[in-house]
Structure formats: structure tokens, C-alpha cells
Amino acid sequence: MTIRVVFLGRLADIAGTDAVELALPEGQIDWDGLLGMIGAQMAEVVHAETVKLALNGAVLPDKAALVASAGDEIALLPPVSGG
Amino acid sequence: MTIRVVFLGRLADIAGTDAVELALPEGQIDWDGLLGMIGAQMAEVVHAETVKLALNGAVLPDKAALVASAGDEIALLPPVSGG
Amino acid sequence: MPQMRDIRLLGEPFLPGALIGQFTQANPGLGGVCTFVGEVRGGIGVEALELSHYEPLTLPGMNALADRAFARFDLMGLLMVHRIGMMVPGEPIVCVSAAAAHRRDAIDAVDFCMDHLKSAAWFWKREKRRDGWHWIEPRTEDHADRARWGN
Amino acid sequence: MPQMRDIRLLGEPFLPGALIGQFTQANPGLGGVCTFVGEVRGGIGVEALELSHYEPLTLPGMNALADRAFARFDLMGLLMVHRIGMMVPGEPIVCVSAAAAHRRDAIDAVDFCMDHLKSAAWFWKREKRRDGWHWIEPRTEDHADRARWGN
């Protein structure tokens, strides 16, 4: 009963890791739930409009509408810096 | 006492040659004089605004203002067709 | 005529000339090929550059960009190769090559793909300078370049 | 930094890859290189193509075009090589390559040079088809392409 959260770009520096597995006791998690589990500093950074969220490889139009289940992969995507 | 007249592009087909040496008994020639020496068909073709004239490697802004002397090279330049 | 498409992420250094030679051979009858090769700039204090990506988005995103280029321009072939990982100054980062019957389609397709790769593709870049690593965000010009295409 | 300039008319076939490799090596520290290679198109009934030029105008004209490109864009180097003489389908006719710190200058310089080479350079082209030789005049699009640059 876990979800995987992937930190891209400078978010990996803040997290100190590329990805974490989070225990999901209730089997589901929403955006506020995720913010509560990733630490206050990371929560503040990913709250910014420029940070996007992908659920299982698809970018959500509105990350606040997130509903993730055990086994899902969430990626937190700061602004890209291109080629 | 000659001038050299070079025919570029399709003008060379009309002339049947890439270039001719024309005798210049008076030592100088103007645009009307040139038209009189290159044959009626060529004169009509080069009269068109799209045909440019270069005197010794410099394109004249107005070919009708031509004054060429013995030893000069005149080039008749139809529209270019590029690279 | 079948369209030739070659979209790749490469973890190791590549030689643009070898890619382009093969690509040109694979598009007989073409009128022109336009190619852009971007390299890690030297002489500006950058010691190394690292490009990271997110596998589930990056390659599908490049393929979607290729779809849009084929829909927008009259192309015979499109090559889009992007490095990931660690690079040093002088190393190629990106190579985009478009083959077409007419030059305008080839040049515009390369321009279009580069503008979108720069500001809309899923890559994160950091540079190592004397004082350590720095994350790079897109320049304002990059957004303006992309806006030229109406999105 | 010195600007690298290589402007040539070639009477014999050439390999664009060899030119571009040397050109890229000659511009260390660059950010990007854009290259356009135009070839004699195949599959459209053209058996051969002949490009004629007028020596006293053609090469000086290409150098003047290079001057304008250097004045207009922030370039590190510019290569402009044009074939003259007889060619068959698949053979390169023209290769323009621009090296710059930033991609927009490199791409725009190639676009600019090609538009001007197509409609303003002193070349005359004729194609051999089954029924004989035909002189080619510039297409309306070529004039429109050049007009984009304000001249």
C-alpha cells in the first residue's frame, strides 16, 4: 500500500532524492494529502503554479484535482529548461 | 577596338554563343548602339526590364545609361533562377 | 511516399554527422535538408551540464512534437535526437534534421521543433560552474520563440 | 572572437558532411550550428541540371550576402558553398551553414542566405527533361521569401 513520488529537476535537490515511496494507509491520497506527506518546504515549492504534476505518466490539467491510489506514480515537475 | 558581350542564361541559347567580340569603330558605344549590333531578336529580349546589364562586373542601375569603350566587357543578365 | 521518423534519447555522446548522413541517405528524392545541432557552450564558465528527463513524458512528448511537425509542414523525414545525462562543453546536446521537397518546409520544421524542445519538452538542465551546480530555467526569449507558432 | 568565413563556388561534386565537420571544428565555443543542404530533386522527371554563373558578379555577390548576414545576425562563422556546372538528381547544389552562440541567429542566418541565394544570386539554372533543356526562372514563392527580410 504505497505510492511512488518522483522529484524532477531542482525538486530532487530539495527532496535530497529522486523519488520516495510513501505509505498509503487509506489506499488513496488527494493533493492536500500529498502536500501533508512531503514536508513543509517541498509543499510550499510544489504549490507554485509553475510546478506541474503527472499521474502515471499523464500531466494533470489541475494538480489540485489529484486522486492517487496505491501503486500509482506521481511526478512533480518544475519548469523545464529545454534542449 | 572591340568590346566583349557576354550572354548569360537563356540569352546564350538565343545568341547561339556565350560571348561575342564586337568591333567598335567609334571607340565607344551606348545602349542604343549595342541594341543595333546584337540582332533584332536579342535586342527585343534584352529590352525587357527584367534583363540587367553589367559593365566590367558592375551592374548598372539603368542599362539605358550605358557608355562602353573598347576593351570593356558587357554582360547581359536575364532573371536569375537561384540555388 | 513513406515518412521517415527517427526520434531518440541518447545517454552517450553522438556524432551529428553520422546521424545526418544516414538520415539523408534514407530520404531519396529530397529537395533539401535543414539541420540544427546544439552544443554545450564553452568559454562561458560552464564546466559540465547535466540533462535529466522523466521517461514516461519525455520520449512521448518528442513523438507528439514530431506528429505536430509532420502535420504542419510538408516533410519527407524528421530526425530528432536529444542527449540526456552528463555532458562537457563542445558536446552535442540536440540534433534536429528535416528533409523536404522544398526548403521552406525543412527550415521551418527545424525552427518549430527547436523552439518547442527548448521551452516545452520535458528536460531539466543544470550547469556546473566553479561555485557548483545551478538549475537552468527557460529564458524569456525561449517562451517568445515558441509563441511565434501560435501556442 | 574572429569570424570564420568560407564562401566558395565549386565545379565538382562535394560532400556536405565533410564541409560541415571542418566548419564546426573551426568554431569552438559555439552554441549551435544550422545547416541547409539543397540537392537536385529526383523523381520529378529531371535528368540533369546545369547551373551557370558570371564570374565577375557571382562570387562577389555571395561575399556581399555574407557581409549582410554577419551585419544582421550575431554569427561566429558562415559557410556558403554553391555548385556550378552539370549535376544529376541527388547531388548537393548548395550548402549554407551558420555557427552562433544562440540558435535563433544560426537558423535565421541560414534562412536569410538561402532566400537571397534563391532569388538574388547570380545563377542561371536549366533542367534537362525528356524533351530537352529548360531554363528555370525563380518561383513567385522565392520572391515572397526574400521580401520577408525587407528588401
Side-chain angles (χ1 to χ4, degrees), chain C residues 26-93:
Chain C
N27 288 282
L30 59 84
V33 180
C34 184
T35 303
F36 179 83
V37 176
E39 297 188 355
V40 181
R41 283 183 65 190
I44 52 170
V46 174
E47 298 169 2
L49 183 144
E50 189 185 36
L51 265 181
S52 50
H53 73 302
Y54 180 52
E55 186 70 46
L57 290 179
T58 310
L59 201 55
M62 287 170 70
N63 272 296
L65 178 55
D67 289 342
R68 292 175 59 199
F70 273 110
R72 185 161 185 150
F73 307 102
D74 192 2
L75 300 181
M76 301 170 70
L78 183 64
L79 169 90
M80 205 186 298
V81 171
H82 213 294
R83 268 298 304 277
I84 49 178
M86 199 82 79
M87 287 155 271
V88 295
E91 266 187 72
I93 308 174

Side-chain angles (χ1 to χ4, degrees), chain D residues 21 39 41 47 76 80 135 146:
Chain D
E39 297 190 355
R41 282 183 67 190
E47 297 168 2
M76 300 170 71
M80 207 185 298
W135 288 101
R146 179 156 61 103

Side-chain angles (χ1 to χ4, degrees), chain B residues 6 8-10 13 52 54 57-59 73-75 77-83, chain D residues 51 53-54 56-57 82 93 117-119 121-126 135-138:
Chain B
V6 180
L8 276 302
R10 63 190 172 88
D13 285 356
K52 309 288 183 194
V59 179
E73 177 168 300
I74 291 170
L77 313 160
V80 295
S81 40
Chain D
L51 266 179
H53 73 301
Y54 180 53
L57 290 180
H82 213 294
I93 307 174
L117 278 173
K118 273 285 186 176
S119 65
W122 297 103
F123 292 106
W124 293 270
K125 186 193 285 183
R126 56 176 191 158
W135 288 101
I136 307 302
E137 308 221 339

Side-chain angles (χ1 to χ4, degrees), chain D residues 81-94:
Chain D
V81 171
H82 213 294
R83 268 298 305 277
I84 50 176
M86 197 81 79
M87 286 155 271
V88 294
E91 265 188 72
I93 307 174
V94 58

